[in-house]
Amino acid sequence: MVNFQMWLVTVFASVKPIGRLMHTAWGWPVAESLHFIGLSLLIGTVGLFDLRLLGLGRRIPIAALHRLIPWGLAGFGINAVSGIAFLLTEPDQYVYNPSFHLKVLFIAAAGSNALTFYLTTYRKVAADGAPADAPPAAKAMAAASLSLWVGVIIAGRLLTFYRPFPCQPPEPGFLATCIPGFHANWK
Amino acid sequence: MDPVFRWIESSALSVWTRESTSLLAYPAILSAHAIGMALAAGVNAAIALRLLGAAPGIPEAEMRRYAGVVWIGFAVNAVSGMLLLIAYPTKAMTNPIFYVKLSLVAVGLAVFVAVNKRLGQWTSAARPWIGIALLVSWGGAIVAGRLLAYTYRRLMAG
């Protein structure tokens, strides 16, 4: 896994044009601004839908509120693109960062949770004449979705505080949380 | 203003927020500020999208139920923002963009309060303009806020 991480960093770092664009005066700030706008869109639509499933605004039909979800997906798309731009520009700030590992894990979990929701209860809760109160299973998935997205935001904000430090090659175990092979006199 | 900045920067709360290595200090405050932003700006975006014609099946007046989410987000950000300001008063207050951000938040909040009261009663001529006003003010506040990290000229007075 450590070797895989080192390989990833080399591959990401080899994508030069995006890094050059991101290192212009406006590159990084613009991408960061888009990343925060995308996250607001996601929480304002997907998060609001979760709150509706949990019982807030019962007189709004679940299917009607669901029509806002594509906008949340657009927000996620903006964040995937800007996020990949960060990753390709400064790969070792992310690939060895424990907060980034957690963030990716939370995003994957939120995605699986959403997929499970669509495969199991979505049809029932969004059907014509469906009761205003969502079933317990849907509520549980809504609560999981909200918590996971909040977790994604927190892990994202903590990235800066877990910037990986240089370490000797043998030190990392399964997953490197420091920059291996970087012989600096940090000790 | 420097003596005032120095006085704030030397206060116990400022020093703790800035220098504590606890996750509950600066990292938690920044996280709270991002979550509050997502709640306040996000729900405003949802209302704006509805006014602009997305999701027409939503009974518009019922969206007032979500005003509480905006207020919770705003309250979280007023408190966390105040703490960030106490941590680095010089950094924020010597940057003109900080005042742009505060103004955009004030405009966004004022439009939200005015719009929310009469949700469901807006004429079709007014609706798109209100939607655009909400998106521009809240989106602008986010951009201005983000730019603060890149545009400050002085970090501290002391």
Side-chain angles (χ1 to χ4, degrees):
Chain A
M1 192 67 178
V2 179
N3 288 330
F4 172 67
Q5 284 172 280
M6 293 171 77
W7 174 78
L8 265 188
V9 169
T10 334
V11 172
F12 291 160
S14 68
V15 189
K16 301 277 187 228
I18 291 178
R20 269 199 292 271
L21 185 70
M22 290 290 282
H23 277 140
T24 58
W26 288 96
W28 203 280
V30 166
E32 281 279 6
S33 298
L34 290 173
H35 209 68
F36 278 64
I37 288 172
L39 111 78
S40 299
L41 263 180
L42 184 74
I43 299 297
T45 55
V46 174
L48 205 62
F49 185 71
D50 291 334
L51 287 173
R52 168 63 189 87
L53 290 177
L54 288 168
L56 190 68
R58 274 167 215 267
R59 276 187 288 205
I60 297 178
I62 291 171
L65 194 64
H66 189 269
R67 294 278 296 272
L68 287 178
I69 296 293
W71 292 93
L73 288 176
F76 183 80
I78 292 172
N79 281 22
V81 171
S82 48
I84 288 169
F86 297 136
L87 186 61
L88 295 178
T89 309
E90 301 287 347
D92 51 12
Q93 288 302 318
Y94 299 99
V95 173
Y96 304 119
N97 192 322
S99 200
F100 182 69
H101 302 157
L102 209 57
K103 183 174 178 177
V104 172
L105 195 71
F106 284 156
I107 294 171
S112 320
N113 180 65
L115 197 65
T116 314
F117 170 75
Y118 284 112
L119 292 175
T120 56
T121 61
Y122 171 68
R123 268 166 202 253
K124 251 177 285 172
V125 299
D128 279 341
D133 199 27
K139 284 186 177 167
M141 283 183 262
S145 169
L146 266 182
S147 326
L148 286 167
W149 286 118
V150 167
V152 171
I153 297 176
I154 295 174
R157 275 293 35 193
L158 293 191
L159 282 169
T160 350
F161 303 96
Y162 286 96
R163 282 201 181 128
F165 53 88
C167 62
Q168 306 293 328
E171 226 168 298
F174 170 65
L175 205 62
T177 54
C178 55
I179 301 172
F182 189 6
H183 296 261
N185 49 354
W186 61 276
K187 278 173 185 168
Chain B
M1 280 305 274
D2 273 25
V4 180
F5 294 155
R6 268 195 291 273
W7 173 71
I8 298 171
E9 283 165 4
S10 60
S11 69
L13 184 59
S14 179
V15 173
W16 176 80
T17 312
R18 204 169 51 237
E19 294 176 10
S20 168
T21 52
S22 166
L23 274 184
L24 294 175
Y26 212 73
I29 296 166
L30 267 189
S31 299
H33 208 63
I35 293 165
M37 173 205 78
L39 294 177
V43 171
N44 270 286
I47 293 170
L49 288 169
R50 173 66 186 84
L51 287 164
L52 286 165
I58 300 173
E60 205 170 281
E62 290 298 324
M63 285 193 98
R64 269 181 296 194
R65 295 266 164 205
Y66 298 136
V69 181
V70 173
W71 288 115
I72 289 170
F74 178 72
V76 168
N77 277 20
V79 174
S80 54
M82 200 63 87
L83 287 169
L84 294 170
L85 183 61
I86 289 169
Y88 290 105
T90 314
K91 185 186 177 188
M93 297 188 74
T94 58
N95 188 344
I97 296 180
F98 178 67
Y99 302 98
V100 174
K101 174 185 171 174
L102 289 190
S103 311
L104 286 167
V105 171
V107 171
L109 213 55
V111 176
F112 164 73
V113 169
V115 167
N116 186 60
K117 255 187 261 176
R118 296 203 287 152
L119 267 180
Q121 298 167 39
W122 295 103
T123 62
S124 53
R127 297 160 61 84
W129 293 109
I130 301 168
I132 289 167
L134 284 174
L135 289 180
V136 169
S137 51
W138 288 99
I142 293 174
V143 173
R146 226 35 308 247
L147 290 183
L148 295 179
Y150 308 95
T151 53
Y152 64 90
R153 291 192 190 133
R154 292 171 66 201
L155 187 61
M156 288 176 71

